[in-house]
Amino acid sequence: MSPSDQVSFAERVVLQQGILDHMRTIYSKAPEFAVYDRTPIDFVGYLMANVDLTCSNLFTSQVERFIGDCIRITLQHVDKVVIVQPAIKVEEDHGKTGKTYLSRPYQMAVNNHIIATCVKYMSSSKYVLIPEHVSSIDDRIEYLRVNL
């Protein structure tokens, strides 16, 4: 399954919960110091970017529980969340390399939900937001040197 596959919101909730459960296992077995490409905060972004006006209120308790679990797991296992904003050009290669980047609006929605989740649920000392204009790898490394 690819992140770009179209699935119902009910399926998305189940998939994201399975991924979160797997991440919890990874964290429990990880060394004291580790760097992760994704945190449960990212999973909140992915899930919430799939909410639209047709999403039933029946999912409210599942979504609230999922977000709460993501926050608790992140705060328990991650000392600092670094929010690296998208710098990948959004495009479709139509099977040439097997990679498909989703739409720019979806990418923006995920990014904004990640930022909002950190701002809403975490102390500012628990995350650092790399500004969107800082997009080259060298500039990002320098930004982190100065701001971590």
Side-chain angles (χ1 to χ4, degrees), residues 8-52:
S8 71
F9 190 74
E11 292 170 309
R12 175 79 53 199
V13 171
V14 171
L15 288 169
Q16 290 297 132
Q17 187 63 55
I19 294 168
L20 180 61
D21 292 343
H22 181 69
M23 179 63 81
R24 188 184 334 234
T25 301
I26 290 170
Y27 282 161
S28 69
K29 296 177 181 177
E32 185 177 338
F33 178 80
V35 176
Y36 302 100
D37 186 340
R38 298 284 183 270
T39 71
I41 301 300
D42 294 273
F43 306 158
V44 172
Y46 302 144
L47 182 68
M48 296 309 294
N50 280 279
V51 173
D52 65 19

Side-chain angles (χ1 to χ4, degrees), residues 117-137:
T117 300
C118 287
V119 169
K120 183 174 181 177
Y121 296 104
M122 300 172 74
S123 158
S124 61
S125 66
K126 290 289 286 182
Y127 68 91
V128 61
L129 172 64
I130 299 176
E132 203 166 22
H133 70 275
V134 180
S135 59
S136 78
I137 299 231

Side-chain angles (χ1 to χ4, degrees), residues 8-118:
S8 71
F9 190 74
E11 292 170 309
R12 175 79 53 199
V13 171
V14 171
L15 288 169
Q16 290 297 132
Q17 187 63 55
I19 294 168
L20 180 61
D21 292 343
H22 181 69
M23 179 63 81
R24 188 184 334 234
T25 301
I26 290 170
Y27 282 161
S28 69
K29 296 177 181 177
E32 185 177 338
F33 178 80
V35 176
Y36 302 100
D37 186 340
R38 298 284 183 270
T39 71
I41 301 300
D42 294 273
F43 306 158
V44 172
Y46 302 144
L47 182 68
M48 296 309 294
N50 280 279
V51 173
D52 65 19
L53 294 175
T54 65
C55 187
S56 169
N57 284 328
L58 296 172
F59 294 110
T60 302
S61 64
Q62 285 177 287
V63 169
E64 288 174 341
R65 185 172 46 253
F66 179 77
I67 292 172
D69 287 349
C70 287
I71 300 302
R72 277 187 294 283
I73 292 167
T74 300
L75 291 175
Q76 182 179 4
H77 295 285
V78 178
D79 291 328
K80 182 80 81 171
V81 173
V82 176
I83 304 169
V84 181
Q85 299 197 67
I88 299 171
K89 182 181 174 191
V90 176
E91 60 183 48
E92 289 191 32
D93 72 359
H94 302 286
K96 294 175 192 162
T97 66
K99 292 183 180 178
T100 302
Y101 299 108
L102 301 175
S103 71
R104 176 68 178 145
Y106 177 78
Q107 189 183 56
M108 292 166 60
V110 170
N111 187 54
N112 287 336
H113 282 294
I114 290 168
I115 294 167
T117 300
C118 287

Side-chain angles (χ1 to χ4, degrees), residues 82-84 128-130 134 138-148:
V82 176
I83 304 169
V84 181
V128 61
L129 172 64
I130 299 176
V134 180
D138 290 338
D139 290 345
R140 287 176 171 183
I141 290 169
E142 183 58 28
Y143 186 87
L144 291 174
R145 277 192 192 130
V146 171
N147 293 284
L148 278 181

